[in-house]
Structure formats: C-alpha cells, structure tokens
C-alpha cells in the first residue's frame, strides 16, 4: 500500500507501483457478454423507433377515434414518447365524405391521450382519457330541410363506410373519458348554398362513459363576457343520438336563440321572447330515414316576457 507523506523529503523514498496491470486480460465469456448486451441495446432502440413511428401511431389513432366517434377522423400529426405520452395534433372529425360545407363537425388543436402501453406494443390503441385542447364544435342547420349536420354521423347516403369486419366477433373498444378545455361551439346555417355563422358559446366540460357502453354522461359549463353562464348535464346515446338532459340558468339571448331549429327561432323572434328559464327535463330524439325528430321540454320561467302579434288572435277566416 502507498504511504501518506507529510514532508517533501519523503516523496521519492518509495517507488510508485501500479494498483493493477495496464493490460488486463479480457476473457472470452466477457467479450461474448458485451456483444450480447450491445445487440440487446440495438434491438431496444429499433423496437422503440418502430413503436413510436409517427405514421404507425397516426394510423392507429385515426382508426380508433373513427370507431369511437362514428365519423371520419383525420389526424395531422402524432407523437408518442416515454416522457410526453401520446399527443395528436390537428384532429378533425367529419360526418361524411361528401365534401359539403357542413361536413366538418369537430376540430381540435391537440389531443392528449392516456393509454395502455401494452396495447400500443400490440398494435392497438385504447384510450382511458382524452384531453382536447382548444376544441371547436361546428353545428350547422340546413335552412331548406331543417336537418342538422350531426344527424348525418353514421347515416345518410354519403356516410363514411367502415372496413368490412371479419367473420369473428369484433370487440368494440371501451369509451374513453373526454375533457374539454377552452372549447367553442359554433352555430351556423346553410341558406341558398351559403354557410353563415349565427353565434357561438365558449364551453368547458367533461364526458364520462356510462357503465353498460354506448352512452356518455356529460357536464358542460358555458362562459361569457360576464363570467359563468348556462350549464347543462345529461346523457347522450351514441347509437341513435337520444339526449336526456337538464339545463339551467339559460337566458333568451342571441346565442341561445341561434342554437334552436329554424321554426322555433322564427317563432321566438316573432314573439320577442325574453327572460330566463330553467329546464329540469329535456328529451330529444333525432329523426332518421324520413322520420321526424321529436322532443319534450319542461321549463321553469323566471321573468319571461312575450309579445303576441294580432294575427295570432285571429281566426283562419279573418
């Protein structure tokens, strides 16, 4: 062992000796082990590159979201990493492939998905939670027919066709929880071939899957210039579009009026309706295959005023 010297006189009193030889012998087993380790590291890198490939992940995301939403989904870009998770950019949902002015029903700047890593490795995608950042919902009514664009999701002549399922039973992926942050619902109408924006609402909300499948429970809170506005909660069935909800703190303003069908909107304007209402029960069933849509609404009025024109009091002969 080397000695600790306290004076410069003893620095060269003992020759230096190496602690180990400069050229240690490397055994055959050690070289083989290092080679195997190098190959394993290379395989891990190649596997990670394949699993996180943007084109592969984007294809899985479009297929999964199309199954969940029932419409055609296009994703601009996909990023999968160990640290940031799965991130989808420029997500768009279409009700059909017709290329009509009202085909686009939803868009979002970013989707952040909470997923099962095992499913990703197996080439499948099932999200437990989806956080939509800056989402836009485009609800458009055709003034000539009275039909809304969301009624065409999975229906109609130009609907998006899913690939033909294989003979074995196809497992439907579970519905994910959806969180909406800084969402905007835009109401428009198509009249004489032109699309016109009538109003919009800023919304924060959450959609949670109902046990049993096929239904979402939703809680939505609108925001306006004066702070929090109307809020709604209820359940929507994805198969037929049935909605059961309750709505509170609704003012008869321009934005709410724009969300109504054209017949109700014209009646509202003709009677100068104003005030505030609560709706403890709201049921809506969209009509398909030539059937008319029907709804049931129970309202509680608060300071509501209405003007009845003279022609409403007159008989048909008058």
């Amino acid at each position: 062992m080397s000695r600790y010297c306290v004076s410069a006189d003893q620095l060269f009193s003992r020759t230096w000796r190496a602690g180990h030889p400069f050229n240690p012998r490397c055994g055959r087993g050690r070289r083989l082990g290092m080679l195997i380790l190098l190959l394993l590291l290379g395989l891990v890198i190649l596997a990670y590159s394949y699993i996180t490939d943007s084109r592969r992940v984007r294809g899985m995301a479009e297929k999964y979201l199309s199954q969940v939403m029932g419409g055609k989904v296009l994703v601009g870009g996909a990023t999968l990493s160990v640290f940031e998770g799965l991130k989808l950019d420029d997500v768009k949902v279409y009700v059909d492939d017709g290329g009509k002015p009202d085909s686009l029903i939803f868009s979002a700047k970013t989707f952040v998905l909470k997923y099962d890593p095992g499913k990703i490795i197996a080439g499948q995608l099932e999200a437990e939670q989806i956080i939509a950042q800056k989402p836009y919902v485009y609800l458009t009514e055709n003034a000539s027919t009275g039909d809304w664009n969301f009624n065409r999701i999975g229906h109609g002549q130009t609907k998006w066709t899913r690939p033909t399922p294989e003979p074995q039973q196809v497992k439907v992926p579970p519905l994910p929880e959806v969180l909406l942050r800084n969402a905007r619902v835009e109401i428009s109408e198509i009249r004489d071939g032109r699309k016109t924006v009538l109003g919009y609402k800023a919304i924060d909300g959450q959609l949670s899957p109902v046990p049993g499948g096929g239904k979402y429970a939703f809680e939505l809170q609108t925001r306006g210039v004066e702070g929090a506005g109307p809020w709604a909660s209820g359940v929507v069935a994805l198969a037929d579009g049935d909605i059961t909800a309750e709505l509170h703190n609704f003012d008869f303003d321009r934005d709410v009026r724009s969300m109504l069908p054209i017949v109700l909107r014209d009646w509202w304007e003709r009677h100068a309706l104003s005030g505030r209402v609560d709706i403890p029960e709201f049921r809506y069933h969209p009509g398909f295959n030539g059937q008319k849509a029907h709804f049931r609404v129970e309202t509680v009025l608060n300071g509501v005023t209405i003007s009845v024109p003279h022609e409403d009091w007159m008989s048909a002969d008058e």
Side-chain angles (χ1 to χ4, degrees):
M1 297 178 61
S2 60
R3 296 179 299 172
Y4 177 73
C5 298
V6 295
S7 65
D9 298 340
Q10 301 178 3
L11 289 176
F12 300 98
S13 60
R14 184 176 183 272
T15 58
W16 178 84
R17 296 178 181 178
H20 58 79
F22 284 104
N23 298 316
R25 290 181 298 176
C26 185
R28 187 175 183 180
R30 185 175 180 182
R31 292 197 300 268
L32 182 60
M34 294 297 294
L35 180 60
I36 294 176
L37 180 60
L38 181 61
L39 291 176
L40 289 177
L41 291 176
L43 290 176
V44 170
I45 295 174
L46 291 176
Y48 181 79
S49 301
Y50 171 75
I51 293 173
T52 60
D53 181 70
S54 60
R55 291 177 297 180
R56 175 178 177 270
V57 176
R58 183 177 61 185
M60 289 192 301
E62 290 179 347
K63 180 180 179 181
Y64 168 72
L65 294 176
S66 297
Q67 292 176 348
V68 172
M69 298 183 178
K72 179 181 179 181
V73 179
L74 297 179
V75 178
T79 304
L80 178 62
S81 67
V82 176
F83 305 101
E84 297 182 359
L86 179 55
K87 181 181 177 182
L88 306 178
D89 297 323
D90 192 20
V91 180
K92 295 182 179 180
V93 181
Y94 297 86
V95 297
D96 51 42
D97 288 333
K100 298 180 180 179
D102 60 345
S103 293
L104 180 64
I105 192 172
F106 179 86
S107 67
K109 180 180 179 181
T110 305
F111 267 14
V112 180
L113 279 70
K114 182 179 179 182
Y115 62 94
D116 183 2
K119 296 289 185 179
I120 291 288
I121 296 176
Q124 301 176 357
L125 176 61
E126 290 185 6
E128 300 175 1
Q129 184 184 78
I130 298 177
I131 301 177
Q133 300 176 356
K134 293 186 178 181
Y136 278 65
V137 179
Y138 306 94
L139 303 181
T140 307
E141 184 183 17
N142 192 316
S144 60
T145 62
D147 295 331
W148 291 83
N149 60 342
F150 60 82
N151 289 335
R152 302 207 310 270
I153 297 182
H155 299 273
Q157 299 298 326
T158 58
K159 68 179 181 179
W160 174 71
T161 55
R162 295 191 179 96
T164 304
E166 298 180 358
Q168 63 266 25
Q169 185 178 3
V170 178
K171 180 181 178 182
V172 179
L175 298 176
E177 180 185 29
V178 180
L179 303 180
L180 302 177
R181 296 293 180 262
N182 298 322
R184 173 168 169 162
V185 179
E186 186 178 283
I187 311 298
S188 307
E189 73 172 4
I190 295 180
R191 189 182 296 270
D192 298 330
R194 291 186 176 183
K195 182 179 178 180
T196 305
V197 178
L198 303 177
Y200 71 91
K201 280 290 184 181
I203 291 179
D204 290 326
Q206 176 177 345
L207 290 81
S208 304
V210 177
K215 294 183 179 180
Y216 263 119
F218 60 87
E219 295 182 3
L220 304 174
Q221 173 69 64
T222 64
R223 293 178 288 105
V225 178
E226 300 179 356
W231 60 273
S233 62
V235 177
V236 55
L238 301 182
D240 53 11
D242 277 345
I243 300 177
T244 302
E246 56 178 302
L247 305 92
H248 297 277
N249 200 27
F250 265 68
D251 286 318
F252 288 115
D253 57 10
R254 177 177 177 272
D255 291 334
V256 174
R257 182 172 66 249
S258 65
M259 299 174 67
L260 296 175
I262 293 178
V263 176
L264 293 180
R265 190 189 315 153
D266 294 341
W267 185 91
W268 185 330
E269 294 177 353
R270 189 171 69 253
H271 293 81
L273 190 61
S274 64
R276 175 176 294 183
V277 298
D278 288 332
I279 303 177
E281 182 180 2
F282 174 85
R283 297 180 180 273
Y284 174 77
H285 178 75
F288 298 118
N289 300 324
Q291 298 180 357
K292 293 184 178 181
H294 58 271
F295 57 89
R296 171 184 172 85
V297 180
E298 294 184 6
T299 60
V300 178
L301 306 181
N302 184 10
V304 174
T305 60
I306 186 173
S307 175
V308 181
H310 295 290
E311 55 268 21
D312 287 357
W313 297 99
M314 301 172 63
S315 63
D317 296 337
E318 296 173 330

